[in-house]
Amino acid sequence: MSAPALSPVSRLRGLRPDWIRDPKVWRTEVLAGLVVALALIPEAISFSIIAGVDPRIGLFAAFTMAVTISVVGGRRAMISAATGAVALVIAPLNREHGLGHLVACVILAGVFQVALGALGVAKLMRFVPRSVMVGFVNALAVLIFVAQVPEMTDVPWPVYPLIVAGLVLMVLFPKVTKVVPAPLVSIVILTVVTVAAGIAVPTVGDKGELPSALPVPGLPDVPFTLDTLTTIAPYALAMALVGLMESLMTAQLVDDITDTRSNKTRESIGQGIANIVTGFFGGMGGCAMIGQTMINVKVSGARTRLSTFLAGSFLMVLCIVFGPVVSDIPMAALVAVMVMVSFATFDWHSIAPRTLRRMPAGEIAVMVITVAVVVATSNLAIGVVVGSVTAMVVFARRVAHVAEVTAVVDPDGGQVVYRVTGELFFASSNDLVTQFRYATDPDRVVIDLSGTHIWDASSVAALDAIETKYAQRGKQVEIIGLNAPSARLHERLSGELTAGH
């Protein structure tokens, strides 16, 4: 007998993810979203100050970015909102031309990100070496901690015991139960203590005014002219590149933590859509937030889009409905959360003496340079680019001398066979010309390339130079053993790379 047909309702139920029917997952995701929302508020306000806009502009961006990316993004549980890197890029534009140009820039940056995502920019992630990724993670941890330092300097003395108490709570509470995230417990307890005891310490309310209503969509207040486009385009492109770099690196980090794969192309396009939506709602734009993502994924254990959606939704609810309560949260409680995130994010294994003794010096140098550049510039994207370029240089130097040439002369002295092994590219082929005995070799020379591969025009030019030097002495050269790709490249370029051709 054939199986009974499923009703439409049953089919729809089958399409729902398993987590929708799991109360434990719901609890984890809801509480994680609440913790992230609390942590987003002071961060968004701080980034608004960096960009030179009203704090509400940053909070609106955090709301719209998180809610939108939860639907269109390619990495579940990752948090996107207003970020410091984006704020630094667009601050000069806002300072010189005003909020209207900034909002238009955010929309154009989103368009650029959608285009770059569709063109496959996410595939460039494969060129980021592991040493750069480790440096990125460690630099991130350092930046998260450094960002908390201003909240721990020139403050009333009760701030310090409150931070210590928050850290102790987050370390010990999970030993009692993990039903409720320890950061949420810490924030609630420290807020109750400071309010009940009347302890005068900096609070969230001191950072800026919270919004009292939802953002309203609209067009940016700018003239729609070519002059406006040329003004905002450079800033928009820079914002798009920085935002994609940080988002894709964060997505890769979450992939590693959760042992799952994300759709980087969808994430790239999703970031663009989120920025377009944010711009039309008057927000300052943003990208993936690494610190808040670590709170969501590593500290709170969230794994689905629900936590991302709720982080943005709770943010507005907390600001609009519970604004007075949220304003009383001591900054010390949120600093303690971020310090714990910094500690948990740092890859301590990467700097263990045993690891350093076994790691190649070049890999260590790449990691250190990545960390140093990120910390010096406060820009993760610049650090990743510099680290990746450094890794490429280290790799090129390492393999530059891999190509080896061995010569075997026939017993009768009629010919010599040179066997070349290793990879031939611009770094290794430069020394290739010097490894032949042009003056003393027999009249017939065979170059066996069966143990190598020709990668570029520099290698073809080197082989041409070798043939020319032998020809000047009236000697004949035969190249054998080329694999198919090398043979095609050699045939196409040989004799075409010297002057006069």
Side-chain angles (χ1 to χ4, degrees):
M1 294 178 62
S2 59
L6 294 175
S7 68
V9 174
S10 299
R11 284 197 297 268
L12 286 173
R13 287 174 179 171
L15 294 175
R16 294 187 302 178
D18 292 338
W19 62 264
I20 289 182
R21 299 186 293 273
D22 190 339
K24 292 183 180 179
V25 175
W26 270 86
R27 182 183 62 219
T28 299
E29 300 297 311
V30 170
L31 294 177
L34 180 58
V35 174
V36 172
L38 290 170
L40 275 174
I41 293 173
E43 293 277 289
I45 295 174
S46 298
F47 298 145
S48 301
I49 295 171
I50 292 174
V53 298
D54 187 286
R56 287 171 291 190
I57 303 299
L59 290 166
F60 288 156
F63 163 60
T64 53
M65 286 291 297
V67 170
T68 305
I69 205 68
S70 69
V71 178
V72 300
R75 173 63 262 179
R76 291 174 295 175
M78 191 167 77
I79 305 297
S80 291
T83 60
V86 168
L88 288 170
V89 171
I90 60 178
L93 178 65
N94 179 66
R95 188 166 53 248
E96 296 173 14
H97 299 279
L99 180 61
H101 280 72
L102 182 149
V103 172
C105 173
V106 171
I107 296 172
L108 183 58
V111 173
F112 282 150
Q113 287 178 327
V114 171
L116 289 169
L119 291 173
V121 70
K123 294 178 181 178
L124 295 177
M125 283 298 297
R126 71 182 67 177
F127 297 107
V128 179
R130 183 186 179 278
S131 53
V132 174
M133 190 68 192
V134 173
F136 168 83
V137 170
N138 290 344
L140 153 67
V142 172
L143 284 184
I144 292 174
F145 182 83
V146 170
Q148 311 313 310
V149 172
E151 305 296 339
M152 297 185 281
T153 55
D154 298 325
V155 293
W157 69 265
V159 168
Y160 303 109
L162 285 172
I163 292 175
V164 173
L167 292 171
V168 171
L169 279 170
M170 284 184 283
V171 171
L172 297 181
F173 189 78
K175 299 181 184 299
V176 178
T177 179
K178 295 184 179 179
V179 172
V180 181
L184 179 59
V185 174
S186 176
I187 292 170
V188 171
I189 291 178
L190 293 186
T191 302
V192 170
V193 169
T194 54
V195 172
I199 302 174
V201 292
T203 63
V204 170
D206 296 330
K207 286 289 184 179
E209 183 181 355
L210 301 181
S212 57
L214 290 172
V216 179
L219 295 175
D221 184 17
V222 294
F224 292 91
T225 62
L226 182 61
D227 183 61
T228 300
L229 180 62
T230 56
T231 299
I232 67 175
Y235 295 97
L237 182 59
M239 175 183 164
L241 294 174
V242 169
L244 284 181
M245 178 75 74
E246 291 209 19
S247 299
L248 293 176
M249 291 295 289
T250 305
Q252 184 62 49
L253 180 59
V254 177
D255 288 356
D256 295 340
I257 292 172
T258 60
D259 291 326
T260 58
R261 293 184 63 183
S262 57
N263 187 330
K264 304 297 192 305
T265 297
R266 177 177 173 179
E267 181 61 37
S268 301
I269 296 173
Q271 287 290 328
I273 295 172
N275 273 306
I276 292 171
V277 171
T278 297
F280 281 119
F281 276 91
M284 59 178 279
C287 61
M289 293 195 75
I290 305 170
Q292 274 64 25
T293 298
M294 290 300 100
I295 293 176
N296 197 46
V297 174
K298 200 164 188 178
V299 178
S300 301
R303 292 293 183 271
T304 77
R305 297 178 185 274
L306 180 62
S307 58
T308 306
F309 176 83
L310 290 178
S313 302
F314 282 152
L315 172 66
M316 281 293 101
V317 172
L318 290 170
C319 290
I320 296 171
V321 180
F322 301 101
V325 176
V326 173
S327 296
D328 287 335
I329 296 175
M331 285 301 300
L334 299 175
V335 169
V337 172
M338 298 310 294
V339 169
M340 180 62 72
V341 169
S342 172
F343 184 85
T345 301
F346 197 92
D347 186 351
W348 297 101
H349 176 72
S350 67
I351 61 170
R354 183 178 179 183
T355 303
L356 295 177
R357 282 195 299 268
R358 297 185 176 187
M359 189 74 68
E363 301 284 315
I364 297 174
V366 169
M367 180 180 71
V368 172
I369 289 172
T370 302
V371 173
V373 172
V374 170
V375 173
T377 63
S378 297
N379 192 314
L380 290 161
I382 294 176
V384 170
V385 171
V386 173
S388 297
V389 171
T390 304
M392 293 176 189
V393 173
V394 170
F395 174 76
R397 286 178 58 85
R398 185 182 302 162
V399 301
H401 305 293
V402 168
E404 296 181 354
V405 178
T406 55
V408 178
V409 181
D410 280 358
D412 60 4
Q415 75 171 15
V416 60
V417 178
Y418 284 95
R419 178 170 175 78
V420 182
T421 57
E423 303 300 311
L424 288 183
F425 67 113
F426 64 90
S428 59
S429 60
N430 288 333
D431 295 331
L432 187 66
V433 181
T434 64
Q435 299 188 52
F436 293 80
R437 299 187 295 269
Y438 304 100
T440 59
D441 278 341
D443 290 340
R444 176 173 170 76
V445 178
V446 177
I447 302 177
D448 182 2
L449 299 180
S450 58
T452 187
H453 183 95
I454 297 176
W455 288 103
D456 58 10
S458 297
S459 303
V460 177
L463 292 172
D464 283 355
I466 294 168
E467 290 187 86
T468 300
K469 287 180 178 293
Y470 277 115
Q472 289 170 348
R473 293 168 173 80
K475 299 177 181 181
Q476 181 183 0
V477 176
E478 180 184 3
I479 295 176
I480 65 172
L482 286 171
N483 58 36
S486 299
R488 286 194 295 269
L489 182 64
H490 184 265
E491 182 180 358
R492 186 168 70 250
L493 297 179
S494 182
E496 301 294 331
L497 300 172
T498 56
H501 287 84

